[in-house]
């Protein structure tokens, strides 16, 4: 009797173990992610990039997963910190591809890191859906790396958007002709200034002050004092989030009361409006959105519910859209075949939170370039192929 009971117990344990093993070995879709969790790029990545990874995995897995052929596979994220540096990002991607053997890799955060990682991502055959970067000469880039897709368009789209917005204000007699320019000395800032300077000159603006600063610079007061001394009518900074906040603070402290004040990445963050409150009114920033768009409103509410954070008014929905595109391409192909998925991305049309998306020569032709803060919302005032733009207005003086 004891022996029969013991044998029954051992059979039960064996069956339990087999069941547990089967659960552990359940097939998933492994998706690799490398982006900043430490270093100077952390603020932007924490606000824009990582929450959308969380939201997407939640949304996909809540519905049972991604349909791959006859299987419904839940997403398993494999995450690494690139420490805000391209060298670490390259090492992470190498590990994701060769050690973790992930099925797909999400494009990294920022222009510079995407440019640095592109050759390695291409070598391993992963599609690279770049939602937080832009550059000039993209035709040459995508010809060399045809697996790369650019959702924010060219840097020149952004810079000419700024120039066009200031020209509209000037033509209305709301601002003068003198512009002060500043840019972060990193790939993003260099790409932006390269296309902005000739565009300003072609439009007849007078660049009365120009400077650059290293990424991670703490003291930006000299930049504002230089622009003030030059008696600029408009201030334009192609900046990253910490710089965007610091330059705005210094402009208020020093009383740089230009009629147009523009900042780069980070100016579209919900935290920008919270930090500066009424002082944010009339500030121009890279990005923008049509806040009345139903898809964006639904996405924004879901983002807050799942992540506990408000998304920004520019890149956040673009990051999420890039993940939707990847998911829909995988489901269309019905397999983890990366080459086939890349081909499906290049030729397909996708339903996303930023509308229907399709690529022309691996570039997205619809993008917001400039927004302006109005009652706590960054309303788009300039863009390509987008609807719902408002007319820009002269910025009120700092209170």
């Amino acid at each position: 009797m004891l022996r029969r009971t013991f044998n029954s117990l051992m059979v039960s344990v064996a069956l339990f173990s087999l069941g547990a093993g089967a659960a552990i070995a359940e097939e998933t879709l492994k998706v690799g992610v490398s982006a900043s969790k430490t270093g100077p790029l952390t603020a932007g990545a924490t606000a824009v990039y990582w929450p959308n990874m969380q939201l997407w995995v939640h949304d996909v897995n809540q519905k049972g997963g991604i349909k791959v052929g006859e299987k419904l596979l839940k997403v398993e994220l494999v995450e690494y910190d690139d420490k805000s540096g391209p060298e670490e990002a390259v090492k992470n991607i190498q590990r994701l591809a060769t050690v973790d053997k992930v099925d797909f890799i999400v494009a990294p955060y920022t222009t510079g890191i995407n440019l640095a990682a592109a050759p390695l991502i291409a070598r391993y055959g992963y599609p690279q859906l770049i939602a937080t970067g832009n550059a000039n000469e993209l035709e040459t880039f995508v010809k060399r790396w045809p697996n790369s897709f650019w959702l924010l368009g060219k840097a020149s789209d952004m810079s000419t958007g700024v120039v066009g917005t200031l020209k509209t204000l000037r033509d209305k007699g709301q601002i003068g002709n003198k512009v002060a320019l500043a840019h972060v000395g990193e790939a993003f800032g260099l790409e932006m200034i390269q296309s902005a300077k000739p565009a300003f000159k072609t439009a007849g603006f007078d660049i009365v002050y120009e400077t650059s600063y290293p990424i991670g610079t703490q003291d930006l007061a000299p930049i504002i004092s230089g622009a003030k001394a030059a008696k600029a009518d408009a201030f334009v900074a192609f900046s990253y989030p910490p710089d965007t906040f610091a330059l705005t603070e210094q402009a208020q402290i020093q009383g740089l009361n230009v009629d147009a004040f523009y900042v780069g990445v980070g100016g579209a963050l919900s935290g920008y409006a919270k930090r500066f409150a009424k002082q944010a009114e009339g500030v121009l920033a890279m990005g923008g959105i049509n806040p009345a768009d139903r898809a964006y409103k639904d996405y924004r509410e879901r983002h807050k519910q799942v992540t506990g954070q408000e998304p920004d008014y520019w890149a956040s929905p673009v990051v999420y859209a890039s993940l939707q595109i990847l998911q829909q391409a995988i489901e269309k192909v019905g397999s983890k075949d990366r080459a086939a998925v890349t081909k499906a991305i290049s030729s397909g049309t996708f339903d996303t939170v930023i509308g229907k998306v399709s690529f022309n020569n691996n570039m997205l032709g619809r993008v917001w370039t400039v927004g302006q803060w109005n009652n706590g919302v960054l309303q788009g005032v300039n863009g390509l192929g987008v609807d719902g733009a408002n007319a820009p207005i002269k910025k009120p003086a700092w209170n």
Side-chain angles (χ1 to χ4, degrees):
M1 185 70 176
L2 285 173
R3 180 176 294 175
R4 285 199 300 271
T5 303
F6 176 79
N7 288 341
S8 297
L9 179 60
M10 292 305 294
V11 169
S12 298
V13 170
L15 290 172
F16 177 81
S17 298
L18 284 171
I24 293 171
E26 181 183 5
E27 185 180 359
T28 60
L29 188 77
K30 291 179 69 174
V31 177
V33 188
S34 171
S36 307
K37 294 187 177 184
T38 58
L41 298 176
T42 305
T46 300
V48 172
Y49 188 91
W50 289 112
N52 282 290
M53 299 301 118
Q54 177 188 351
L55 177 61
W56 179 65
V57 172
H58 169 273
D59 288 349
V60 169
N61 289 347
Q62 189 180 54
K63 294 178 180 178
I66 294 177
K67 196 170 190 301
V68 183
E70 298 303 315
K71 300 177 182 178
L72 201 57
L73 304 182
K74 290 193 174 181
V75 173
E76 175 190 352
L77 280 191
V78 183
E79 302 179 7
Y80 291 109
D81 176 14
D82 65 21
K83 301 177 184 177
S84 297
E87 297 85 0
E88 193 70 23
V90 168
K91 286 193 292 184
N92 290 346
I93 289 165
Q94 179 80 29
R95 181 181 176 87
L96 287 167
T98 62
V99 178
D100 301 304
K101 298 186 183 302
V102 298
D103 299 306
F104 294 94
I105 291 177
V106 179
Y109 178 70
T110 75
T111 298
I113 292 178
N114 270 289
L115 294 175
L120 190 60
I121 293 174
R123 183 192 304 172
Y124 290 110
Y126 293 101
Q128 184 180 7
L129 284 154
I130 301 167
T132 59
N134 52 31
N136 296 305
E137 310 299 335
L138 285 186
E139 292 86 356
T140 302
F141 191 93
V142 300
K143 186 175 182 180
R144 187 171 185 183
W145 315 120
N147 64 304
S148 68
F149 300 89
W150 297 79
L151 280 82
L152 292 183
K154 298 181 181 180
S156 58
D157 294 336
M158 295 293 171
S159 58
T160 54
V162 178
V163 174
T165 300
L166 296 190
K167 185 176 184 299
T168 296
L169 291 170
R170 185 190 62 187
D171 292 349
K172 290 180 178 179
Q174 295 184 357
I175 69 169
N177 209 48
K178 297 181 291 186
V179 178
L181 293 178
H183 70 277
V184 61
E186 189 263 358
F188 158 75
L190 296 172
E191 293 283 344
M192 292 299 298
I193 201 71
Q194 180 187 45
S195 51
K197 282 183 66 176
F200 272 118
K201 290 178 180 178
T202 299
F205 284 97
D206 183 13
I207 299 173
V208 295
Y209 175 77
E210 181 186 350
T211 190
S212 66
Y213 58 93
I215 189 169
T217 298
Q218 300 295 312
D219 183 13
L220 298 175
I223 294 175
I224 297 300
S225 59
K228 187 175 181 181
K231 301 186 185 304
D233 300 308
F235 177 81
V236 173
F238 300 119
S239 51
Y240 272 148
D243 330 334
T244 292
F245 281 71
L247 288 166
T248 306
E249 289 172 352
Q250 280 298 319
Q252 293 174 36
I253 291 169
Q254 298 188 40
L256 179 66
N257 277 311
V258 289
D259 295 322
F261 186 86
Y262 168 94
V263 286
V265 181
L269 296 176
S270 295
Y272 186 90
K274 289 180 179 177
R275 167 65 182 82
F276 297 110
K278 291 183 179 180
Q279 300 281 39
E281 288 294 295
V283 170
L284 299 165
M286 182 173 287
I289 206 74
N290 176 3
D293 181 81
R294 171 52 59 185
Y296 174 76
K297 290 172 73 174
D298 291 344
Y299 156 78
R300 186 174 181 85
E301 187 58 37
R302 200 168 67 255
H303 188 289
K304 287 191 289 186
Q305 289 176 351
V306 174
T307 70
Q309 295 180 222
E310 292 184 324
D312 82 339
Y313 289 94
W314 176 41
S316 281
V318 180
V319 173
Y320 189 85
S322 73
L323 299 168
Q324 290 181 302
I325 293 166
L326 176 62
Q327 174 186 349
Q328 291 171 36
I330 293 169
E331 291 179 334
K332 180 179 180 181
V333 170
S335 78
K336 300 178 183 180
D337 184 329
R338 295 194 285 267
V341 170
T342 301
K343 184 176 180 181
I345 293 171
S346 68
S347 60
T349 299
F350 307 92
D351 291 314
T352 76
V353 295
I354 60 172
K356 285 193 177 294
V357 167
S358 59
F359 293 95
N360 180 14
N361 194 21
N362 291 26
M363 289 175 277
L364 189 59
R366 48 177 303 170
V367 58
W368 286 101
T369 61
V370 183
Q372 187 166 42
W373 284 104
N374 181 10
N375 291 322
V377 173
L378 189 73
Q379 168 72 53
V381 296
N382 193 297
L384 300 173
V386 291
D387 298 318
N390 277 1
I393 61 170
K394 175 181 174 180
K395 191 190 88 58
W398 307 114
N399 294 328

